mmCIF file of all heavy atoms in Angstrom:
data_model
loop_
_atom_site.group_PDB
_atom_site.id
_atom_site.type_symbol
_atom_site.label_atom_id
_atom_site.label_comp_id
_atom_site.label_asym_id
_atom_site.label_seq_id
_atom_site.Cartn_x
_atom_site.Cartn_y
_atom_site.Cartn_z
ATOM 1 N N ASP L 526 10.300 -3.860 6.612
ATOM 2 C CA ASP L 526 9.180 -3.027 7.015
ATOM 3 C C ASP L 526 9.678 -1.804 7.821
ATOM 4 O O ASP L 526 10.293 -1.926 8.928
ATOM 5 C CB ASP L 526 8.270 -3.875 7.885
ATOM 6 C CG ASP L 526 7.020 -3.153 8.430
ATOM 7 O OD1 ASP L 526 6.972 -1.882 8.374
ATOM 8 O OD2 ASP L 526 6.088 -3.813 8.853
ATOM 9 N N THR L 527 9.435 -0.600 7.292
ATOM 10 C CA THR L 527 9.861 0.640 7.973
ATOM 11 C C THR L 527 8.667 1.583 7.918
ATOM 12 O O THR L 527 8.824 2.774 7.644
ATOM 13 C CB THR L 527 11.089 1.244 7.372
ATOM 14 O OG1 THR L 527 10.846 1.493 5.940
ATOM 15 C CG2 THR L 527 12.316 0.335 7.480
ATOM 16 N N MET L 528 7.511 1.092 8.280
ATOM 17 C CA MET L 528 6.259 1.794 8.045
ATOM 18 C C MET L 528 6.202 3.043 8.906
ATOM 19 O O MET L 528 5.648 4.156 8.443
ATOM 20 C CB MET L 528 5.066 0.918 8.429
ATOM 21 C CG MET L 528 3.708 1.504 8.003
ATOM 22 S SD MET L 528 2.459 0.220 8.145
ATOM 23 C CE MET L 528 1.002 1.114 7.519
ATOM 24 N N TYR L 529 6.702 3.059 10.121
ATOM 25 C CA TYR L 529 6.567 4.197 10.993
ATOM 26 C C TYR L 529 7.872 4.854 11.344
ATOM 27 O O TYR L 529 8.980 4.203 11.214
ATOM 28 C CB TYR L 529 5.956 3.726 12.338
ATOM 29 C CG TYR L 529 4.580 3.054 12.153
ATOM 30 C CD1 TYR L 529 4.242 1.911 12.868
ATOM 31 C CD2 TYR L 529 3.638 3.579 11.321
ATOM 32 C CE1 TYR L 529 3.034 1.261 12.725
ATOM 33 C CE2 TYR L 529 2.391 2.985 11.149
ATOM 34 C CZ TYR L 529 2.070 1.812 11.862
ATOM 35 O OH TYR L 529 0.861 1.215 11.681
ATOM 36 N N SER L 530 7.783 6.060 11.868
ATOM 37 C CA SER L 530 8.956 6.709 12.479
ATOM 38 C C SER L 530 9.188 6.070 13.816
ATOM 39 O O SER L 530 8.298 5.351 14.370
ATOM 40 C CB SER L 530 8.666 8.177 12.739
ATOM 41 O OG SER L 530 7.656 8.351 13.695
ATOM 42 N N LEU L 531 10.384 6.198 14.433
ATOM 43 C CA LEU L 531 10.683 5.610 15.699
ATOM 44 C C LEU L 531 9.698 6.161 16.725
ATOM 45 O O LEU L 531 9.230 5.350 17.593
ATOM 46 C CB LEU L 531 12.100 5.911 16.113
ATOM 47 C CG LEU L 531 12.527 5.350 17.435
ATOM 48 C CD1 LEU L 531 12.511 3.868 17.412
ATOM 49 C CD2 LEU L 531 13.929 5.871 17.798
ATOM 50 N N ALA L 532 9.349 7.413 16.698
ATOM 51 C CA ALA L 532 8.463 7.970 17.724
ATOM 52 C C ALA L 532 7.090 7.270 17.677
ATOM 53 O O ALA L 532 6.523 6.949 18.699
ATOM 54 C CB ALA L 532 8.320 9.480 17.511
ATOM 55 N N ASP L 533 6.564 7.093 16.437
ATOM 56 C CA ASP L 533 5.276 6.466 16.279
ATOM 57 C C ASP L 533 5.317 4.949 16.778
ATOM 58 O O ASP L 533 4.396 4.502 17.401
ATOM 59 C CB ASP L 533 4.797 6.503 14.849
ATOM 60 C CG ASP L 533 4.221 7.853 14.486
ATOM 61 O OD1 ASP L 533 4.009 8.635 15.427
ATOM 62 O OD2 ASP L 533 3.939 8.095 13.307
ATOM 63 N N SER L 534 6.361 4.308 16.400
ATOM 64 C CA SER L 534 6.469 2.861 16.642
ATOM 65 C C SER L 534 6.570 2.514 18.149
ATOM 66 O O SER L 534 6.272 1.377 18.572
ATOM 67 C CB SER L 534 7.658 2.210 15.919
ATOM 68 O OG SER L 534 8.912 2.682 16.404
ATOM 69 N N VAL L 535 7.022 3.447 18.966
ATOM 70 C CA VAL L 535 7.239 3.167 20.398
ATOM 71 C C VAL L 535 6.111 3.927 21.227
ATOM 72 O O VAL L 535 6.142 3.918 22.447
ATOM 73 C CB VAL L 535 8.596 3.584 20.894
ATOM 74 C CG1 VAL L 535 9.641 2.764 20.164
ATOM 75 C CG2 VAL L 535 8.820 5.075 20.757
ATOM 76 N N SER L 536 5.174 4.591 20.576
ATOM 77 C CA SER L 536 4.165 5.344 21.299
ATOM 78 C C SER L 536 2.773 4.947 20.874
ATOM 79 O O SER L 536 2.311 3.840 21.183
ATOM 80 C CB SER L 536 4.343 6.846 21.145
ATOM 81 O OG SER L 536 4.330 7.209 19.784
ATOM 82 N N MET L 537 2.070 5.736 20.099
ATOM 83 C CA MET L 537 0.687 5.421 19.800
ATOM 84 C C MET L 537 0.517 4.230 18.844
ATOM 85 O O MET L 537 -0.597 3.726 18.782
ATOM 86 C CB MET L 537 0.030 6.679 19.192
ATOM 87 C CG MET L 537 0.632 7.163 17.884
ATOM 88 S SD MET L 537 -0.165 8.628 17.273
ATOM 89 C CE MET L 537 0.783 8.996 15.854
ATOM 90 N N LYS L 538 1.535 3.790 18.156
ATOM 91 C CA LYS L 538 1.380 2.659 17.293
ATOM 92 C C LYS L 538 2.176 1.464 17.707
ATOM 93 O O LYS L 538 2.410 0.528 16.954
ATOM 94 C CB LYS L 538 1.734 3.077 15.816
ATOM 95 C CG LYS L 538 0.857 4.146 15.276
ATOM 96 C CD LYS L 538 1.165 4.572 13.912
ATOM 97 C CE LYS L 538 0.198 5.641 13.412
ATOM 98 N NZ LYS L 538 0.509 6.162 12.062
ATOM 99 N N GLU L 539 2.496 1.386 18.968
ATOM 100 C CA GLU L 539 3.175 0.232 19.576
ATOM 101 C C GLU L 539 2.174 -0.976 19.507
ATOM 102 O O GLU L 539 0.987 -0.768 19.697
ATOM 103 C CB GLU L 539 3.590 0.500 20.987
ATOM 104 C CG GLU L 539 4.379 -0.678 21.544
ATOM 105 C CD GLU L 539 4.932 -0.339 22.960
ATOM 106 O OE1 GLU L 539 4.509 0.679 23.509
ATOM 107 O OE2 GLU L 539 5.732 -1.127 23.476
ATOM 108 N N ASP L 540 2.690 -2.131 19.211
ATOM 109 C CA ASP L 540 1.920 -3.381 19.075
ATOM 110 C C ASP L 540 0.992 -3.393 17.890
ATOM 111 O O ASP L 540 0.071 -4.191 17.814
ATOM 112 C CB ASP L 540 1.104 -3.654 20.404
ATOM 113 C CG ASP L 540 2.005 -3.780 21.589
ATOM 114 O OD1 ASP L 540 3.081 -4.409 21.449
ATOM 115 O OD2 ASP L 540 1.603 -3.337 22.718
ATOM 116 N N TRP L 541 1.259 -2.534 16.927
ATOM 117 C CA TRP L 541 0.448 -2.535 15.647
ATOM 118 C C TRP L 541 1.116 -3.464 14.664
ATOM 119 O O TRP L 541 0.604 -3.653 13.531
ATOM 120 C CB TRP L 541 0.375 -1.166 15.116
ATOM 121 C CG TRP L 541 -0.667 -0.314 15.812
ATOM 122 C CD1 TRP L 541 -1.028 -0.414 17.079
ATOM 123 C CD2 TRP L 541 -1.396 0.784 15.248
ATOM 124 N NE1 TRP L 541 -1.974 0.546 17.446
ATOM 125 C CE2 TRP L 541 -2.217 1.304 16.318
ATOM 126 C CE3 TRP L 541 -1.412 1.375 13.997
ATOM 127 C CZ2 TRP L 541 -3.008 2.406 16.113
ATOM 128 C CZ3 TRP L 541 -2.267 2.490 13.805
ATOM 129 C CH2 TRP L 541 -3.109 2.975 14.868
ATOM 130 N N GLY L 542 2.319 -4.085 14.963
ATOM 131 C CA GLY L 542 2.917 -5.100 14.144
ATOM 132 C C GLY L 542 3.829 -4.597 13.008
ATOM 133 O O GLY L 542 4.183 -5.325 12.141
ATOM 134 N N HIS L 543 4.299 -3.330 13.190
ATOM 135 C CA HIS L 543 5.231 -2.740 12.239
ATOM 136 C C HIS L 543 6.405 -2.084 12.962
ATOM 137 O O HIS L 543 6.385 -1.972 14.171
ATOM 138 C CB HIS L 543 4.512 -1.732 11.339
ATOM 139 C CG HIS L 543 3.369 -2.318 10.556
ATOM 140 N ND1 HIS L 543 3.532 -3.064 9.463
ATOM 141 C CD2 HIS L 543 2.049 -2.245 10.845
ATOM 142 C CE1 HIS L 543 2.356 -3.430 9.035
ATOM 143 N NE2 HIS L 543 1.427 -2.967 9.797
ATOM 144 N N SER L 544 7.448 -1.720 12.217
ATOM 145 C CA SER L 544 8.622 -1.208 12.780
ATOM 146 C C SER L 544 9.057 0.114 12.147
ATOM 147 O O SER L 544 8.338 0.674 11.310
ATOM 148 C CB SER L 544 9.760 -2.256 12.779
ATOM 149 O OG SER L 544 10.715 -1.981 13.746
ATOM 150 N N SER L 545 10.257 0.510 12.527
ATOM 151 C CA SER L 545 10.774 1.866 12.042
ATOM 152 C C SER L 545 12.033 1.741 11.239
ATOM 153 O O SER L 545 12.781 0.760 11.280
ATOM 154 C CB SER L 545 11.024 2.765 13.268
ATOM 155 O OG SER L 545 12.208 2.346 13.939
ATOM 156 N N ASN L 546 12.329 2.811 10.540
ATOM 157 C CA ASN L 546 13.610 2.873 9.777
ATOM 158 C C ASN L 546 14.853 2.810 10.688
ATOM 159 O O ASN L 546 15.828 2.193 10.350
ATOM 160 C CB ASN L 546 13.611 4.220 8.998
ATOM 161 C CG ASN L 546 13.400 5.458 9.838
ATOM 162 O OD1 ASN L 546 12.739 5.403 10.870
ATOM 163 N ND2 ASN L 546 13.960 6.560 9.413
ATOM 164 N N ILE L 547 14.708 3.369 11.923
ATOM 165 C CA ILE L 547 15.861 3.354 12.808
ATOM 166 C C ILE L 547 16.179 1.996 13.298
ATOM 167 O O ILE L 547 17.397 1.569 13.226
ATOM 168 C CB ILE L 547 15.517 4.260 14.042
ATOM 169 C CG1 ILE L 547 15.216 5.712 13.602
ATOM 170 C CG2 ILE L 547 16.615 4.245 15.058
ATOM 171 C CD1 ILE L 547 16.311 6.377 12.797
ATOM 172 N N VAL L 548 15.235 1.229 13.673
ATOM 173 C CA VAL L 548 15.455 -0.157 14.108
ATOM 174 C C VAL L 548 16.015 -0.992 12.961
ATOM 175 O O VAL L 548 16.892 -1.860 13.157
ATOM 176 C CB VAL L 548 14.238 -0.720 14.814
ATOM 177 C CG1 VAL L 548 14.435 -2.224 15.141
ATOM 178 C CG2 VAL L 548 13.855 0.032 16.011
ATOM 179 N N ALA L 549 15.414 -0.795 11.764
ATOM 180 C CA ALA L 549 15.931 -1.542 10.558
ATOM 181 C C ALA L 549 17.404 -1.316 10.338
ATOM 182 O O ALA L 549 18.203 -2.218 10.089
ATOM 183 C CB ALA L 549 15.095 -1.227 9.364
ATOM 184 N N ILE L 550 17.849 -0.044 10.455
ATOM 185 C CA ILE L 550 19.243 0.268 10.258
ATOM 186 C C ILE L 550 20.104 -0.355 11.349
ATOM 187 O O ILE L 550 21.168 -0.954 11.100
ATOM 188 C CB ILE L 550 19.433 1.824 10.197
ATOM 189 C CG1 ILE L 550 18.782 2.374 8.955
ATOM 190 C CG2 ILE L 550 20.882 2.201 10.295
ATOM 191 C CD1 ILE L 550 18.649 3.875 8.909
ATOM 192 N N ASP L 551 19.644 -0.314 12.637
ATOM 193 C CA ASP L 551 20.369 -0.888 13.681
ATOM 194 C C ASP L 551 20.535 -2.408 13.448
ATOM 195 O O ASP L 551 21.674 -2.954 13.642
ATOM 196 C CB ASP L 551 19.686 -0.661 15.033
ATOM 197 C CG ASP L 551 19.783 0.754 15.463
ATOM 198 O OD1 ASP L 551 20.583 1.546 14.961
ATOM 199 O OD2 ASP L 551 18.969 1.150 16.383
ATOM 200 N N LEU L 552 19.501 -3.080 13.083
ATOM 201 C CA LEU L 552 19.564 -4.533 12.829
ATOM 202 C C LEU L 552 20.529 -4.825 11.668
ATOM 203 O O LEU L 552 21.333 -5.777 11.743
ATOM 204 C CB LEU L 552 18.164 -5.064 12.506
ATOM 205 C CG LEU L 552 17.248 -5.202 13.713
ATOM 206 C CD1 LEU L 552 15.848 -5.492 13.190
ATOM 207 C CD2 LEU L 552 17.711 -6.149 14.741
#
Side-chain angles (χ1 to χ4, degrees):
D526 180 344
T527 56
M528 189 169 185
Y529 301 137
S530 67
L531 180 62
D533 281 350
S534 68
V535 300
S536 57
M537 60 182 178
K538 295 179 180 178
E539 186 176 9
D540 298 324
W541 285 26
H543 300 284
S544 199
S545 74
N546 54 333
I547 300 302
V548 174
I550 291 168
D551 289 344
L552 289 171

